[in-house]
Amino acid sequence: MSEKTYDLYDLEDKYQQSLDDCKKFLISKGRVVKGTKISKSRIDYMVSINATCPLCGAIFNGKNSNTEHILPLGLGGKNVANNKIQLCVACNSAKNNLIQSYLGQPPYWKYYDDKWSTIKKFILWSEFVSDEGIRFSDSVPSMHQRFLDARFGGIEDSINVRGYGRLSSWKVGDGPNINFDQRKTKKVLRDTKDKTKSSFFSMIESGIGILGDKIFSDKKKKIRPKTRVQNTQVKEIINPHVKEKELELESLEEVIIKLVGKDEITLQKLGIKISKYENKRSGGKGTREFFATYGHKGTMKNILEKELGDKIDISGDHPNLQIKINSL
Ligand SMILES: [Zn+2]
């Protein structure tokens, strides 16, 4: 039996409509529509057959679930069956935390310009897991990891799901349409498909875009769960699909030269620029994360002097250190 494989090209094709809807909404600073919940008959039905949350496998009891908008209302989602899914309360809130960890509080259109690539990834991830569960969630590794962080404290738990996808995909009387028992699956080696076309992000984003997925995927944690999902044992999640293609990182030197520019600036100012850069790149914040990407630890001054040597000049005394790029 062969599993269908997915990468972000596929996801972008598949969910183009949602991306378009969102973009239109953000550009026009659209009005957020009111959301409504799933019907009681659907809830009762799900409870009666021991249906689970389609993401985490928690069994619904009639009180522990919320109706989630797959493309969030705050990103232009519509209040229609095709855009709704019933999740357990914890997954619902983890998803909200996930998007807010990148975008802060709504309205989200204020972030449109510099956060579009992040927003796009969130949408693709959200749409995809609503159709497939989190089996293939790390087709978008950054979102996958953030969701795991928010939902389980970083673990990849082994779960048994008998859940339902978007409301338009099922009706009362139907069997669960997101089914998998990860406890019975075995680990499958990952393989990165060699795509000849340029990668997803470089195609659709210009500039630095988002490179953070490399960082996140490398950091994947394999620790014991803090929260156990019912009837599970810890095992690695299977990923028989193709992962998001990882982009080349800009070199440390390139980034620093670009950020410092022609004039002498303070190290403090450079730190702020680095933080902004890192945030754009990975959604993370701080110079520490930035330098860690390149495998460096320590103070900015020490790292820069060691790594860039003659190419830069750092002068003055703490806290008024200045940096300039030596002419080439
Ligand atoms: Zn859940």
Side-chain angles (χ1 to χ4, degrees):
M1 190 180 73
S2 69
E3 291 271 10
K4 172 154 174 49
T5 61
Y6 297 90
D7 64 18
L8 282 173
Y9 295 107
D10 302 323
L11 299 190
E12 203 199 1
D13 285 347
K14 196 163 153 77
Y15 302 116
Q16 190 60 51
Q17 188 62 52
S18 292
L19 296 176
D20 290 348
D21 287 351
C22 178
K23 203 161 192 172
K24 210 189 285 176
F25 174 86
L26 294 172
I27 290 172
S28 68
K29 301 182 181 175
R31 202 166 54 86
V32 177
V33 300
K34 200 167 174 294
T36 53
K37 289 181 187 166
I38 188 175
S39 69
K40 185 167 183 309
S41 59
R42 287 214 200 220
I43 298 258
D44 289 347
Y45 175 66
M46 287 197 282
V47 171
S48 75
I49 64 156
N50 288 327
T52 72
C53 171
L55 295 190
C56 74
I59 296 174
F60 286 158
N61 63 16
K63 288 178 183 160
N64 62 347
S65 67
N66 281 332
T67 304
E68 159 94 9
H69 289 83
I70 297 160
L71 173 60
L73 301 176
L75 289 174
K78 299 186 173 79
N79 187 43
V80 295
N82 191 43
N83 192 41
K84 290 197 244 185
I85 188 169
Q86 196 71 359
L87 299 182
C88 78
V89 172
C91 283
N92 180 237
S93 111
K95 272 189 75 177
N96 292 337
N97 291 341
L98 172 64
I99 189 67
Q100 288 187 8
S101 75
Y102 285 111
L103 300 183
Q105 297 291 321
Y108 294 135
W109 42 255
K110 67 191 173 198
Y111 301 108
Y112 170 67
D113 282 343
D114 55 345
K115 295 282 179 69
W116 174 243
S117 50
T118 303
I119 293 169
K120 175 161 19 190
K121 285 167 131 187
F122 174 80
I123 293 171
L124 295 179
W125 178 84
S126 178
E127 295 281 351
F128 193 44
V129 297
S130 301
D131 287 326
E132 302 287 340
I134 61 168
R135 273 177 297 186
F136 303 129
S137 157
D138 82 345
S139 290
V140 192
S142 57
M143 295 298 155
H144 176 66
Q145 190 58 49
R146 283 244 179 161
F147 178 76
L148 294 177
D149 287 346
R151 174 66 182 85
F152 303 111
I155 55 130
E156 293 184 350
D157 210 342
S158 163
I159 55 177
N160 181 13
V161 167
R162 295 179 67 251
Y164 290 90
R166 50 187 91 227
L167 297 196
S168 55
S169 70
W170 64 280
K171 56 188 189 307
V172 169
D174 291 347
N177 60 5
I178 295 185
N179 283 299
F180 59 100
D181 187 347
Q182 208 176 306
R183 296 167 303 173
K184 292 178 186 159
T185 59
K186 62 177 192 295
K187 194 185 168 196
V188 177
L189 285 176
R190 296 176 187 189
D191 187 18
T192 303
K193 201 195 288 177
D194 182 32
K195 286 262 180 187
T196 48
K197 52 184 172 177
S198 64
S199 77
F200 177 77
F201 291 108
S202 57
M203 262 175 61
I204 54 178
E205 304 298 339
S206 56
I208 54 178
I210 289 281
L211 307 172
D213 285 304
K214 175 163 175 30
I215 301 161
F216 279 106
S217 58
D218 289 344
K219 273 205 309 207
K220 231 157 258 145
K221 297 164 195 148
K222 300 283 188 281
I223 54 174
R224 295 193 71 80
K226 289 174 188 157
T227 313
R228 297 293 300 239
V229 179
Q230 235 155 341
N231 298 326
T232 61
Q233 61 187 78
V234 185
K235 202 182 278 180
E236 282 187 286
I237 199 161
I238 56 155
N239 300 296
H241 60 292
V242 176
K243 278 174 60 173
E244 181 172 344
K245 184 163 179 180
E246 290 167 359
L247 293 178
E248 296 285 322
L249 277 172
E250 277 183 293
S251 75
L252 179 64
E253 188 180 317
E254 283 170 336
V255 177
I256 297 299
I257 288 175
K258 184 168 76 181
L259 294 182
V260 173
K262 285 182 199 151
D263 301 321
E264 189 172 60
I265 64 170
T266 64
L267 270 193
Q268 198 180 9
K269 184 156 185 202
L270 177 60
I272 293 167
K273 287 183 166 192
I274 288 174
S275 296
K276 279 190 183 158
Y277 175 89
E278 184 60 29
N279 189 261
K280 251 189 184 171
R281 175 165 72 176
S282 70
K285 42 184 176 246
T287 53
R288 188 183 303 216
E289 196 166 336
F290 170 80
F291 286 116
T293 309
Y294 297 97
H296 303 310
K297 273 197 283 195
T299 66
M300 197 154 74
K301 178 173 185 285
N302 289 347
I303 295 170
L304 292 175
E305 283 181 336
K306 183 155 171 261
E307 298 304 319
L308 275 72
D310 293 344
K311 297 187 177 99
I312 55 159
D313 205 9
I314 296 179
S315 60
D317 295 309
H318 188 77
N320 298 311
L321 290 161
Q322 305 271 328
I323 180 169
K324 70 174 166 56
I325 306 297
N326 289 323
S327 46
L328 305 169

